[in-house]
Amino acid sequence: MADAPEWRHGWLGGFDRMMRALRAGALVVAGLGMLYMTAVCAVDVVAYILLQRPFPGVSESVEVVLPVTIAMTLAHAQAMREHISVDILTTRMGPRMLKISEMLGLVVALAVLLLLMWRGWSLALDSLSTRESSPSLAGFAIYPWKFIFALALTLAAVEALRQFLHALLSVPDTGASTGGSISPDVRV
């Protein structure tokens, strides 16, 4: 916006760049998680075919890595606005109602993500206090994965906050490579 004060673009632009980098890192972690799960399941199948017994700890490790992999994609999905939108309603809204709807949706998303983040950190700290580990023969530590999960939820909550700030200040959202605000030039 031409008439928006420069300070809005300055600090919010830096915040956008930081979040873009953090989301990219989270996607790399999610990709590595997918690669790990694919590889370990393939090894398990081959071990079962050749040795007539499964690879120990595969199920448990996949059960731990899968939620982390999914959580690492939440901030990106939020940034790209890849969540469900009821087009039959939004296409009939005027600019002001569209802006209000966007703000309300971001407040609800932020509230839910903050709740998940809070419980995620609580779960991670409880897991650390007991040094939680897998009961399988492999016996790997579970608590570090719960911290990564909580970190991913925190990143998603911060992304929702970033989007809310853009909508609140009526500053075009440059934090996502595509997508952005559904009502970028509308002021309430």
Side-chain angles (χ1 to χ4, degrees):
M1 309 206 133
D3 58 334
E6 186 58 38
W7 64 268
R8 286 188 188 174
H9 296 288
W11 72 269
L12 209 47
F15 189 34
D16 291 348
R17 286 187 296 280
M18 178 191 73
M19 287 303 295
R20 195 176 306 123
L22 290 172
R23 287 192 317 264
L27 288 177
V28 168
V29 171
L32 291 173
M34 290 296 294
L35 183 63
Y36 168 78
M37 289 185 292
T38 302
V40 77
C41 287
V43 167
D44 186 43
V45 168
V46 170
Y48 187 75
I49 290 170
L50 296 178
L51 305 174
Q52 299 299 312
R53 59 184 163 150
F55 193 71
V58 169
S59 295
E60 293 87 352
S61 69
V62 170
E63 287 173 2
V64 170
V65 174
L66 181 61
V68 169
T69 300
I70 292 169
M72 283 292 173
T73 64
L74 290 177
H76 177 74
Q78 179 69 32
M80 298 295 127
R81 300 202 181 266
E82 293 176 346
H83 37 66
I84 296 172
S85 175
V86 184
D87 293 341
I88 196 166
L89 296 177
T90 57
T91 56
R92 296 171 188 244
M93 290 180 185
R96 184 178 175 93
M97 193 61 198
L98 194 59
K99 179 74 170 190
I100 291 169
S101 170
E102 177 185 22
M103 298 276 291
L104 183 61
L106 288 169
V107 166
V108 170
L110 183 57
V112 169
L113 288 167
L114 285 172
L115 181 64
L116 288 171
M117 180 188 83
W118 169 58
R119 292 304 301 152
W121 283 108
S122 176
L123 183 67
L125 291 171
D126 288 346
S127 183
L128 175 65
S129 70
T130 62
R131 298 276 195 240
E132 185 177 6
S133 62
S134 168
S136 71
L137 292 175
F140 61 91
I142 293 176
Y143 64 90
W145 293 96
K146 290 189 178 181
F147 276 96
I148 298 169
F149 180 75
L151 185 63
L153 293 174
T154 302
L155 183 62
V158 172
E159 175 57 34
L161 175 64
R162 185 195 67 78
Q163 288 180 325
F164 178 76
L165 290 172
H166 274 279
L168 182 69
L169 299 172
S170 296
V171 174
D173 188 353
T174 60
S177 56
T178 61
S181 177
I182 58 174
S183 56
D185 297 322
V186 177
R187 292 187 190 191
V188 177

